[in-house]
Amino acid sequence: TSGSSMGTALVTVTMMADTAPPQVRITAPADNTRVAGRVSIVTQASDNVGVARVEFFDGATKLGETTTVPWQLEVDTAAWTNGLH
């Protein structure tokens, strides 16, 4: 025999309720800024149970996502139509 023994462990799991929607604010580029070419979209994101990722959309088209702070994504706007996005 090896002399080791098996023990019993007590584990408590506490689930945090997600009681509030996440808060996201685009900090760059500034509202109504004209941009062209490669642009970094920078956001601030928070939630009462934490943020795992931020997804970026232009309307229904997903541009990408990030799972690390700073919550930002670089996009190439060269193919976009002129106007608000």
Side-chain angles (χ1 to χ4, degrees), residues 53-74:
R53 76 175 176 264
V54 174
E55 298 177 338
F56 296 82
F57 287 83
D58 178 15
T61 303
K62 186 174 179 179
L63 303 174
E65 65 182 53
T66 184
T67 58
T68 58
V69 175
W71 307 109
Q72 67 183 33
L73 181 73
E74 188 170 309

Side-chain angles (χ1 to χ4, degrees), residues 2-3 5-6 8 15-17 25 28 30-31 34 39-41 43 47 63 65 69-70 74 77 79:
S2 67
S5 63
M6 298 289 286
T8 303
M15 299 296 292
M16 293 181 63
R25 184 172 69 90
D31 196 22
R34 293 175 189 239
V39 175
S40 285
I41 303 171
T43 66
D47 186 65
L63 303 174
E65 65 182 53
V69 175
E74 188 170 309
T77 66

Side-chain angles (χ1 to χ4, degrees), residues 21-40:
Q23 300 293 311
V24 179
R25 184 172 69 90
I26 296 174
T27 58
D31 196 22
N32 292 315
T33 301
R34 293 175 189 239
V35 297
R38 298 200 68 77
V39 175
S40 285

